[in-house]
Amino acid sequence: MNSQAGMETPLTQYIKGNGASLGLKEYEAIGGYTALKKVLQSMTPAELQQLVMDSKLKGRGGAGFSTGTKWSLVPMGPEAPKRKYLIANADEMEPGTFKDRLLLEGNPHQLIEGMILAAYAIQADISYIFLRWAYRSAAVLLKKCLEEAYAAGYLGQHIAGSDYKLELYLHTGVGRYICGEETALLNALEGKRATPRAKPPFPQISGLFGKPTIVNNVETLSCIPHIVNNGATWFRNLSSSEDSGTKIYGVSGKVRNPGAWELPMGTTIRELLEEHAGGMLPGYQLKGILPGGASTDFLTGDHLDIKMDFAAVAAAGSRLGTGTMIVMDDKTCPVGMVHNLQHFFAQESCGWCTPCREGIPWVEKILWSIEQGAGRKEDLELLDMHTKFLGPGNTFCALAPGAMEPLQSALKYFRPEFEKHIEQKKCPYANHTH
Ligand code: L3W
């Protein structure tokens, strides 16, 4: 994690790197928990909700839904259920995505403070961190930090001397991608099979155990203390685009310096690739980019000047997603790479709805057959058809439509490569780097 000199990098500037974590004393020494004290002494939940609305913070988990709007949908009047839940979605498992891990390991108290603030804003009295099973070191650190926060009076009864009370639990998942989908996450927390629920009702109205629930991503929640300390205008002005704040971007693939960097929202793909990731490794050319994890559409070298914000990436035909790019180089077979991704999505389908359960494995088989030199011309039509049958609106959740995004865009930008496999009856990439 490298914060950039001369740029404001509120989420990461104190992260030490090398997996070292900020303890409570260090976090307090850099102003940690002052936002919490300020809010509990001088702001109502409605005022905090308004501040976050004014900041124009959008969810950093992939969908970019307005955080203030999401919070505002929680019923708050005297008629509203007393029990409400706040959940941090730390089930980071999107291929190529490793941004939340840096926050979880580097500054867990920042997340905990953000969670308490978010919980206060919706008047939740119970909260959970739903953590990816494989993030073992984060689990150890979070456990220690939660104990510190309880001992310091930031959790439990009478938080920071106020009337507000909150219990915060760490819950580790069992290693399924679908648990990152918020309603499957709720089922998993309830001890049920992790299948998505129909929406509406959205969790804000009927979530965990049927009570109003907010599920926010780790990076989203980590922004909240900084918005409280510095204001909505400051947060909006951190950005170089319509979307406010900073963003933790990442780059992986055959680049000189793969990694993650906190940068102004709207940093261009070119700056990310050439300045921060150091350009392609010698001997490799850029061929394609998945801008926001594996469930986004490919962009190409023609898109380098696109700003990495929600609207600009969507206008270019893809999605910002998690903002962590996977770079495909010219020595990697696009058919093999997309097959590899479909293998992941087929394995991670929860099996709840038929198009996803049956469709993705079929797509995987067709791609494998093409990659092995047994593809037929009509297979490309079959693949095109699947991108529509498994597209938005035809499945229970975003898993299958997300899986179709790299496929449909590979068929658009790299179709001649698919055709070459079929004509030559083999993969034209000698070293099969997929
Ligand atoms: C009330 C409405 N609330 C939407 C809320 C909804 C949720 C949030 C986003 O998937 C994406 C997906 C992956 N009234 C609402 C509403 N909401 N409409 O807004 O909802 P939605 O449905 O747009 O998306 P989602 O199903 O939550 C998230 C993509 O992220 N993704 C994957 C990320 C993976 C990770 C990970 O591994 N941890 O982050 C990458 O792009 O494909 O499209 O809270 O309740 N009318």
Side-chain angles (χ1 to χ4, degrees):
M1 166 67 60
N2 311 321
S3 296
Q4 302 302 304
M7 285 178 196
E8 283 199 82
T9 54
L11 298 190
T12 60
Q13 63 179 322
Y14 295 109
I15 289 181
K16 299 175 201 163
N18 306 324
S21 172
L22 285 185
L24 179 65
K25 290 284 159 277
E26 288 166 298
Y27 185 61
E28 286 176 326
I30 55 162
Y33 290 107
T34 52
L36 179 64
K37 289 176 196 155
K38 176 176 164 185
V39 164
L40 292 180
Q41 281 161 17
S42 63
M43 286 177 86
T44 63
E47 285 168 340
L48 178 54
Q49 284 198 16
Q50 190 58 48
L51 177 70
V52 171
M53 188 78 91
D54 292 344
S55 77
K56 297 196 185 315
L57 172 64
K58 290 183 180 173
R60 305 303 200 224
F65 193 80
S66 153
T67 306
T69 305
K70 195 191 272 195
W71 291 6
S72 74
L73 297 167
V74 173
M76 294 292 281
E79 307 288 301
K82 287 243 169 333
R83 169 118 311 151
K84 300 184 189 78
Y85 296 99
L86 182 277
I87 298 171
N89 187 345
D91 196 46
E92 183 173 62
M93 216 177 141
E94 177 73 17
T97 298
F98 45 87
K99 66 181 184 69
D100 295 336
R101 179 178 182 182
L102 299 167
L103 296 173
L104 289 160
E105 292 182 359
N107 198 350
H109 278 292
Q110 177 174 250
L111 169 66
I112 294 169
E113 186 180 11
M115 289 181 70
I116 306 168
L117 288 164
Y120 174 77
I122 60 157
Q123 289 293 284
D125 61 350
I126 299 187
S127 56
Y128 294 91
I129 300 170
F130 191 102
L131 183 69
R132 178 182 175 184
W133 169 83
Y135 282 4
R136 303 277 180 91
S137 28
V140 173
L141 292 166
L142 282 164
K143 199 163 168 283
K144 178 174 152 276
C145 290
L146 285 173
E147 282 164 10
E148 287 177 337
Y150 269 103
Y154 296 131
L155 284 169
Q157 303 287 323
H158 300 293
I159 295 178
S162 73
D163 286 340
Y164 183 56
K165 62 176 195 298
L166 179 71
E167 301 298 332
L168 203 168
Y169 303 102
L170 175 65
H171 180 97
T172 44
V174 290
R176 298 312 308 265
Y177 175 70
I178 196 62
C179 291
E181 197 286 330
E182 63 178 355
T183 60
L185 182 157
L186 297 176
N187 278 341
L189 259 184
E190 289 183 11
K192 297 177 182 153
R193 185 175 156 190
T195 53
R197 299 176 182 174
K199 293 195 272 191
F202 285 89
Q204 299 95 317
I205 309 293
S206 176
L208 192 65
F209 300 110
K211 301 295 180 200
T213 303
I214 287 292
V215 184
N216 281 143
N217 168 263
V218 167
E219 186 184 348
T220 312
L221 289 162
S222 297
C223 292
I224 307 297
H226 303 287
I227 294 172
V228 169
N229 282 328
N230 301 293
T233 309
W234 166 85
F235 189 73
R236 287 200 305 271
N237 290 342
L238 289 175
S239 152
S240 61
S241 85
E242 286 297 298
D243 293 323
S244 56
T246 57
K247 177 79 195 77
I248 303 181
Y249 295 108
V251 180
S252 61
K254 297 276 185 343
V255 291
R256 285 178 204 260
N257 181 26
W261 310 271
E262 184 181 6
L263 295 165
M265 176 67 92
T267 300
T268 63
I269 296 176
R270 185 185 298 284
E271 181 181 330
L272 274 166
L273 272 179
E274 294 178 1
E275 287 182 34
H276 304 287
M280 300 300 289
L281 279 171
Y284 291 92
Q285 301 284 322
L286 174 84
K287 185 157 185 156
I289 303 153
L290 294 171
S295 58
T296 57
D297 282 271
F298 275 104
L299 297 176
T300 69
D302 293 337
H303 297 109
L304 294 186
D305 294 314
I306 299 290
K307 282 178 175 238
M308 283 281 279
D309 66 29
F310 292 103
V313 182
S318 185
R319 288 187 306 111
L320 177 64
T322 58
T324 41
M325 301 190 320
I326 302 172
V327 173
M328 183 175 74
D329 60 83
D330 61 338
K331 294 191 169 54
T332 295
C333 171
V335 177
M337 177 165 167
V338 176
H339 167 264
N340 191 20
L341 297 179
Q342 298 308 317
H343 176 67
F344 170 82
F345 289 119
Q347 195 166 278
E348 295 301 331
S349 169
C350 76
W352 185 242
C353 64
T354 309
C356 181
R357 183 185 63 239
E358 304 297 329
I360 306 180
W362 196 10
V363 165
E364 184 194 348
K365 276 187 194 147
I366 296 169
L367 287 166
W368 185 238
S369 148
I370 296 173
E371 180 66 355
Q372 294 301 300
R376 308 159 308 165
K377 272 208 174 105
E378 55 270 34
D379 285 342
L380 297 188
E381 283 158 42
L382 268 178
L383 289 175
D384 283 331
M385 190 183 85
H386 274 79
T387 62
K388 295 185 179 64
F389 283 178
L390 303 189
N394 293 336
T395 59
F396 226 75
C397 80
L399 189 145
M404 292 305 105
E405 291 185 26
L407 174 62
Q408 71 194 5
S409 47
L411 288 165
K412 174 174 159 193
Y413 292 119
F414 313 121
R415 203 171 190 96
E417 313 260 352
F418 285 74
E419 289 164 349
K420 227 188 265 176
H421 279 73
I422 295 169
E423 282 155 21
Q424 297 180 4
K425 297 195 187 308
K426 63 174 180 131
C427 173
Y429 288 76
N431 55 1
H432 287 261
T433 48
H434 50 74

